């Protein structure tokens, strides 16, 4: 696996590959890689000729400075996992490389998408996400980029940006990888104590219950049941549980074709999100 820390070096390497007619896929990550990330790499390997993974803990998407400082960083182990999963190129830039001092201000209109759910609880988060993903797309110029359903709203936001800026990249959403007990894999799970890991199961349990009851009861009842369950669960600091149109994250109506339930809660100091497709 080739490892690059400079934009100019990876650009040179990839433009040579592009000239040979090879397709390029990008898997953007913040590192502390787990099976969820690996599944994205594995999907990319089957889909494109050259798989690029980026590891960059992006400061502009963190609304909480302590969260940024405490974010797990495990580059050595990450490199081993990437090599084992068939990744071709790792892009590992510094903060100065991605955010030079004379950087332009970034602002993109994401409409309602950045006012709801994560956008509401983490103001500015999606401006930071789109800012870094735009920069990564500009450097790597991928034919295809792979994102996890784990961050469902993020995929919607990236799709919105790609449409708005007419970027020539195909976005693929890959399914959520879970522990055997149902807990969605997340880099932040390493911060959970054994007790908190058990308490965190309430999130996936609430989602699975909603899926089981979907179609049998009103959406508003399912939502209220889930909220009640989570508020009564030990160690859970409830933030939201919403059932929305999976196409545009708007309200569900009779005509809605695809429906998603999304949840966020803090378990101890660790903020977790999860979701499930109901229909
Ligand atoms: P992160 O490093 O948390 O920014 O995640 C990088 C990419 O991996 C994002 O597209 C995430 O949605 C995806 N991802 C994170 N956790 C999972 C998971 N449990 N299953 C599938 N994809 C995931």
């Amino acid at each position: 696996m080739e490892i690059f820390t400079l934009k100019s070096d990876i650009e040179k390497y990839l433009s040579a590959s592009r000239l040979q007619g090879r397709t390029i896929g990008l898997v953007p990550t913040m590192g502390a890689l787990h099976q969820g990330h690996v599944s994205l790499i594995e999907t990319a390997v089957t889909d494109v000729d050259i798989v690029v993974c980026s590891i960059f803990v992006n400061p502009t998407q963190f609304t909480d400075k302590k969260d940024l400082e405490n974010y797990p960083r495990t580059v050595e182990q990450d490199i081993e996992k990437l090599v084992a999963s068939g990744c071709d190129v790792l892009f590992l830039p510094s903060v100065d490389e991605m955010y030079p001092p004379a950087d332009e201000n970034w602002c993109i209109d994401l409409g309602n998408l950045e006012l709801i759910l994560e956008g509401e609880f983490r103001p500015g988060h999606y401006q930071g996400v789109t800012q870094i993903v735009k920069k990564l797309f500009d450097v790597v110029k991928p034919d295809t980029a792979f994102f996890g359903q784990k961050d469902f709203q993020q995929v919607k936001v990236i799709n919105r940006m790609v449409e708005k800026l007419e970027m020539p990249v195909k976005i693929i959403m890959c399914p959520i990888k879970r522990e055997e007990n149902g807990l969605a894999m997340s880099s932040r799970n390493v911060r959970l104590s054994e007790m908190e890991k058990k308490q965190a199961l309430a999130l996936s349990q609430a989602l699975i219950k909603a899926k089981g009851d979907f179609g049998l009861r009103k959406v508003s009842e399912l939502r209220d049941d889930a909220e009640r369950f989570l508020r009564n669960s030990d160690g859970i600091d409830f933030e939201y549980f919403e059932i929305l149109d999976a196409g545009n994250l708007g309200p569900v109506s009779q005509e809605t074709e695809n429906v998603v339930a999304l949840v966020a809660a803090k378990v101890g100091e660790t903020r977790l999100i999860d979701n499930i497709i109901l229909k």
Side-chain angles (χ1 to χ4, degrees):
M1 184 174 70
E2 303 285 339
I3 303 180
F4 297 101
T5 56
L6 299 181
K7 290 184 283 192
S8 53
D9 287 346
I10 189 171
E11 274 170 346
K12 212 181 298 160
Y13 179 86
L14 291 175
S15 67
S17 309
R18 213 172 286 114
L19 279 176
Q20 294 162 3
R22 308 178 80 188
T23 55
I24 297 168
L26 173 65
V27 180
T29 82
M30 297 205 296
L33 302 183
H34 50 67
Q35 258 325 104
H37 298 112
V38 168
S39 73
L40 266 59
I41 301 283
E42 287 171 347
T43 304
V45 166
T46 64
D47 224 72
V48 296
D49 297 324
I50 298 191
V51 177
V52 181
C53 176
S54 59
I55 296 182
F56 182 67
V57 183
N58 174 36
T60 67
Q61 73 186 67
F62 282 80
T63 40
D64 176 355
K65 218 170 148 249
K66 236 175 66 193
D67 189 26
L68 172 61
E69 280 163 16
N70 293 338
Y71 200 83
R73 289 163 170 89
T74 58
V75 176
E76 294 306 316
Q77 291 102 300
D78 292 352
I79 290 174
E80 281 172 23
K81 285 180 189 156
L82 289 174
V83 170
S85 55
C87 182
D88 301 293
V89 177
L90 168 60
F91 184 42
L92 194 63
S94 66
V95 172
D96 286 347
E97 182 68 4
M98 294 317 283
Y99 294 105
D103 206 16
E104 283 166 27
N105 285 335
W106 171 258
C107 181
I108 183 167
D109 180 6
L110 298 167
N112 198 38
L113 273 184
E114 71 168 329
L115 302 177
I116 58 169
L117 309 170
E118 292 304 285
E120 180 185 347
F121 281 86
R122 305 178 73 187
H125 172 63
Y126 287 126
Q127 289 299 326
V129 168
T130 46
Q131 183 177 25
I132 192 62
V133 172
K134 164 78 163 66
K135 283 172 182 281
L136 291 169
F137 282 3
D138 285 348
V139 172
V140 175
K141 301 181 188 68
D143 299 280
T144 313
F146 301 82
F147 292 87
Q149 183 200 321
K150 166 75 174 21
D151 298 274
F152 191 84
Q153 189 177 3
Q154 173 171 275
V155 180
K156 297 286 151 192
V157 162
I158 299 296
N159 277 325
R160 174 76 53 91
M161 175 178 79
V162 164
E163 251 171 51
K164 253 191 136 65
L165 304 183
E166 299 183 43
M167 302 172 105
V169 52
K170 181 170 149 199
I171 304 298
I172 302 228
M173 182 168 81
C174 304
I176 304 177
K177 281 277 168 194
R178 299 179 178 280
E179 305 288 352
E180 259 174 44
N181 61 15
L183 180 66
M185 290 183 185
S186 163
S187 303
R188 290 190 165 88
N189 290 356
V190 296
R191 292 213 220 119
L192 298 171
S193 68
E194 285 311 306
M195 168 72 107
E196 287 170 343
K197 274 187 192 150
K198 288 196 189 111
Q199 293 171 331
L201 292 180
L203 275 75
S204 52
Q205 284 165 356
L207 292 169
I208 290 164
K209 175 87 170 54
K211 190 170 173 92
D213 290 348
F214 187 76
L216 304 174
R217 304 178 56 217
K218 281 201 267 179
V219 159
S220 58
E221 290 171 348
L222 301 185
R223 201 209 79 89
D224 292 349
D225 280 357
E227 175 165 351
R228 203 173 313 114
F229 170 73
L230 287 162
R231 287 196 186 279
N232 288 329
S233 296
D234 279 344
I236 298 288
D237 188 359
F238 177 83
E239 288 193 357
Y240 63 75
F241 186 102
E242 297 295 343
I243 297 176
L244 298 170
D245 184 326
N248 58 11
L249 293 182
V252 174
S253 71
Q254 290 291 344
E255 288 78 44
T256 306
E257 279 180 23
N258 300 303
V259 179
V260 62
L262 309 105
V263 64
K266 266 182 144 178
V267 181
E269 289 297 301
T270 309
R271 188 169 181 280
L272 299 176
I273 58 171
D274 198 354
N275 67 82
I276 200 166
I277 302 292
L278 300 182
K279 177 180 129 184

